[in-house]
Amino acid sequence: MIRVTIWNENWHERHDEHIRAVYPDGIHGQLAAVLGSEADFAIHTATLDEPEHGLTEAVLAETDVLIWWAHVKHAEVSDKVARRVQEHVLRGMGLIVLHSGHMSKPFLRLMGTSGTLSWRDGDRERVWTVLPTHPIAQGLPPYFELEVEEMYGEPFDIPQPDELVFISWFSGGEVFRSGCCWQRGYGRVFYFAPGHEEFPTYYNEHVGTVIRNAVRWAQPVLRRGDFACPNVTESPESRCSGRS
Amino acid sequence: MIRVTIWNENWHERHDEHIRAVYPDGIHGQLAAVLGSEADFAIHTATLDEPEHGLTEAVLAETDVLIWWAHVKHAEVSDKVARRVQEHVLRGMGLIVLHSGHMSKPFLRLMGTSGTLSWRDGDRERVWTVLPTHPIAQGLPPYFELEVEEMYGEPFDIPQPDELVFISWFSGGEVFRSGCCWQRGYGRVFYFAPGHEEFPTYYNEHVGTVIRNAVRWAQPVLRRGDFACPNVTESPESRCSGRS
Amino acid sequence: MIRVTIWNENWHERHDEHIRAVYPDGIHGQLAAVLGSEADFAIHTATLDEPEHGLTEAVLAETDVLIWWAHVKHAEVSDKVARRVQEHVLRGMGLIVLHSGHMSKPFLRLMGTSGTLSWRDGDRERVWTVLPTHPIAQGLPPYFELEVEEMYGEPFDIPQPDELVFISWFSGGEVFRSGCCWQRGYGRVFYFAPGHEEFPTYYNEHVGTVIRNAVRWAQPVLRRGDFACPNVTESPESRCSGRS
Amino acid sequence: MIRVTIWNENWHERHDEHIRAVYPDGIHGQLAAVLGSEADFAIHTATLDEPEHGLTEAVLAETDVLIWWAHVKHAEVSDKVARRVQEHVLRGMGLIVLHSGHMSKPFLRLMGTSGTLSWRDGDRERVWTVLPTHPIAQGLPPYFELEVEEMYGEPFDIPQPDELVFISWFSGGEVFRSGCCWQRGYGRVFYFAPGHEEFPTYYNEHVGTVIRNAVRWAQPVLRRGDFACPNVTESPESRCSGRS
């Protein structure tokens, strides 16, 4: 089983009826539905208002891949929990950061950059695959369209991705690196741009394929324990010197 | 002029006569001497005990390249100053992190990883250039030797370097990625491993060449102002639509 | 001086009056005009029909940066000259490949991939900078527009660029990695997509800035001699063993 | 099943009794034995002297991963077959290049560089993992030793690897990027340095683990057909314009 925790700040859905109309079960609820088709995914959800935002040591220790959606409440995520998420990624947990999560504490801690970009209200987005063999791009057409999505545009202040999988086109004239992969410590991080709360993006079949693929891609290969710097008192050569 | 600020925690030199004997003017003093040969370098030094560790907004605003040496006092660097250094790098300031600075707050904030590695007391190190055309490698032989240096060994928990310039060999049997480059925001970061306080590494002519080259490589191309996410209310297409 | 050789297959201009009307002095002639503003550029041109296509050992040995424009005559470039160009790049010569040069023999020999992409007749192109600090992007606005340009679209079969500088937007709905950098051996390679022969692209001020910047970026740091694999009969350790 | 073709120039084993004593069934025979433990590998071997070197269109069309060992007969591999191997890699076939294959025609065609390095007769090699989470590094200790192996040293003229997995240490004082990954077209390429014909390297358990892991890593995700540049006569926008 791949143990997935879906985290959502869960604010818009509770305070704006127009958003609630789009995501009556919350964005985390719809993301859970998107993943629900996979028999080998064990899905858990957590939200900002829970104690420790629902991301205790115990929860993260049992999480293989964490999905992060947030927009207006980044500052309310405690530094302690943000650091805990970062450390679990460095130990091997996968992290999928969606849409406005580009300004979330865990993402910025892992990237080291400002995460800034330009944006504009609803536009038509076309997501192009530029790395067709990447596991996250499997099962997709050469491009797919989102009738209405928030425009996120370059320059996007991120470290150069280890792998650039998607580039988005917007009818208003912008481009964006909308699907980016990084290795950080023992963990994998995937940023995917689509997913503004006003629009039914997470009902799109291709977006669902991307997120399901990303969960499989981001699952841990190894988990790491502490972050010590070991003092190697006995050198490899001293250990093998008898032989040479 | 390239305005260089050399920062040193300046602890060992003041509290251990053996270290003071190696660096009577402090490691920052010797680094200043190493850079002193360059007529177009304006050199400034700062240390941990100064107010704001000598790294005020005013000082960093006037710094093109910051050199960082620290070892046992990482925790005493305030988060406020560490964040300020990170932000100035993202705005364009170059950063050269030396030796045990791999565990310093500014470096870890910019990398997002744990910075951990393995280490062992004095060994002989041989620094090999693997990217001979890199600006930081100019004027060096194919390799150079440090009679006695602290062993730093793999695995080194860093994001994959944008450019890997040096790999070190140790007589005890280890290897290490000892010269690594990254772009972060508008700034460039270079990590260089040699430089344990007990040894006269910063008197080595080739080490001096590396550091002088790194200062030139890391100087800003552009400086950035704020870190806002601009709302593009008028799309490029709406602006040019009259023409097509 | 930076010694620049501009190479053009020079076919369309001589056989199609419409193209000749756009580039009466040939595309190479207009590229020479674009570079002519730089007092420290020594500009030479060469074309397909010259002996050895004007790219003799002597010419390449005196060339710091080679600019390549070709479209319908790739197959007429001799393998011998294509290999010679590749070898000079590996020795340190810079190479700037323009537009349909993505299918030229020298580019494909250096990339190792098929260079294929999708294309469509005249469209409006908007070139976005995604790496604002890159030397090739200096002096440009956040984006610039080409009223009419041939659409080149993803997927583009190239090795992942060492640095991705530009991404293009097309009004018809495509995106393209239109400015890509690679290091190959001792040489630097830059591919820049705009420049279809039917359109006045090389009269555009921003395109001129890109090409002038690229020449400066691609100039050699070092030149390499032969491509031997030296047999190191005396190891570094045997040389220094007296000391340890 | 993963269909693996092991290719060997098969010269030393037939013309030098000392090599035959090390590899009585040929290096390809021992590599087949190394892979034989995997129930889901279908193993085929081919050698230089066969018609078309045993690498016909039919054989490559049925090959998921090709392993290449060669040393003194690179020039005898026909350009036609070398190009065929390159094209199958670009279509999706995995390629594992061993030891002196760094100068083989298929590897150089895919890299675009000279492949040159420095070398020295038998030395002790220690292979360090620098990317512990990479699939090719699974099941290995932090490092493993080869009592006697040919020294391959930097600088190694290759494009910067997409992923650097192993760095080797040699008792004589050199280092080498001994495990490197690249994506080329739809195919994956892995270069692994150990494997000089005079030494029993391919009997080493850890070397066997690396090669088995590499076969799994390099298997195709997708296979590509032709290498055309499609003319997109109908733009995505014209196709969707009815909707917006």
Side-chain angles (χ1 to χ4, degrees), chain B:
Chain B
M1 295 297 285
I2 304 178
R3 301 165 299 175
V4 185
T5 296
I6 301 167
W7 192 87
N8 178 18
E9 69 179 26
N10 194 32
W11 174 265
H12 296 293
E13 304 93 316
R14 290 185 299 117
H15 297 77
D16 181 331
E17 66 184 45
H18 299 93
I19 309 304
R20 188 162 53 247
V22 180
Y23 292 110
D25 302 323
I27 288 173
H28 55 295
Q30 175 55 23
L31 289 171
V34 162
L35 301 184
S37 61
E38 307 305 285
D40 61 335
F41 287 6
I43 302 162
H44 173 75
T45 66
T47 58
L48 180 68
D49 290 349
E50 298 173 37
E52 301 187 53
H53 317 315
L55 299 174
T56 59
E57 265 300 329
V59 166
L60 293 181
E62 302 268 298
T63 298
D64 294 318
V65 180
L66 176 65
I67 298 177
W68 195 276
W69 196 99
H71 183 203
V72 293
K73 297 296 181 182
H74 299 316
E76 295 185 19
V77 173
S78 75
D79 290 338
K80 182 179 175 186
V81 169
R83 184 173 57 252
R84 183 185 293 157
V85 169
Q86 175 186 21
E87 288 180 353
H88 277 268
V89 171
L90 299 183
R91 293 180 196 284
M93 181 181 75
L95 178 66
I96 299 172
V97 176
L98 297 173
H99 193 58
S100 36
H102 70 92
M103 294 302 285
S104 64
K105 288 181 178 181
F107 184 67
L108 296 181
R109 292 179 70 96
L110 285 157
M111 296 292 106
T113 58
S114 73
T116 51
L117 48 74
S118 67
W119 62 281
R120 187 163 38 73
D121 284 345
D123 195 346
R124 186 171 67 258
E125 177 172 5
R126 181 173 289 112
V127 181
W128 285 89
T129 293
V130 298
L131 198 55
T133 58
H134 197 281
I136 295 178
Q138 300 317 297
L140 297 174
Y143 65 82
F144 63 90
E145 295 166 352
L146 299 166
E147 282 304 303
V148 189
E149 186 43 83
E150 190 170 49
M151 187 286 291
Y152 273 11
E154 296 287 343
F156 185 19
D157 186 13
I158 49 174
Q160 178 162 289
D162 294 338
E163 297 168 308
L164 176 60
V165 183
F166 302 120
I167 295 175
S168 286
W169 174 99
F170 291 91
S171 67
E174 294 91 349
V175 295
F176 192 64
R177 289 170 291 171
S178 53
C180 301
C181 300
W182 296 270
Q183 178 88 30
R184 285 295 180 268
Y186 279 42
R188 286 175 163 186
V189 180
F190 178 61
Y191 175 76
F192 186 57
H196 184 61
E197 67 276 2
E198 296 177 90
F199 311 126
T201 300
Y202 296 126
Y203 296 89
N204 178 283
E205 70 170 296
H206 299 307
V207 169
T209 298
V210 168
I211 296 171
R212 287 185 294 266
N213 287 345
V215 166
R216 296 189 184 284
W217 171 82
Q219 65 182 303
V221 173
L222 290 173
R223 300 304 277 252
R224 176 181 181 173
D226 73 8
F227 293 113
C229 288
N231 180 2
V232 183
T233 53
E234 184 189 24
S235 76
E237 283 301 281
S238 65
R239 253 177 262 117
C240 75
S241 56
R243 297 178 317 208
S244 50

Side-chain angles (χ1 to χ4, degrees), chain C residues 212-232:
Chain C
R212 285 185 296 266
N213 287 344
V215 166
R216 295 189 183 283
W217 171 83
Q219 66 181 303
V221 172
L222 289 174
R223 300 303 278 253
R224 175 179 182 174
D226 73 7
F227 293 113
C229 289
N231 179 3
V232 183

Side-chain angles (χ1 to χ4, degrees), chain D residues 200-243:
Chain D
T201 300
Y202 296 125
Y203 295 90
N204 179 283
E205 70 171 296
H206 300 306
V207 169
T209 299
V210 169
I211 296 171
R212 286 185 295 266
N213 288 344
V215 166
R216 295 190 184 283
W217 171 82
Q219 65 182 302
V221 172
L222 290 174
R223 300 303 278 253
R224 175 180 182 173
D226 73 6
F227 292 113
C229 288
N231 179 2
V232 184
T233 54
E234 185 189 24
S235 76
E237 283 302 280
S238 65
R239 254 178 261 117
C240 76
S241 58
R243 298 175 319 205

Side-chain angles (χ1 to χ4, degrees), chain D residues 1 17 37 120 143 171 188 238 243:
Chain D
M1 298 295 287
E17 67 184 44
S37 61
R120 187 164 36 73
Y143 65 83
S171 66
R188 287 175 160 185
S238 65
R243 298 175 319 205

Side-chain angles (χ1 to χ4, degrees), chain A residues 23-35:
Chain A
Y23 292 110
D25 301 323
I27 288 173
H28 55 296
Q30 175 54 25
L31 289 170
V34 163
L35 301 184

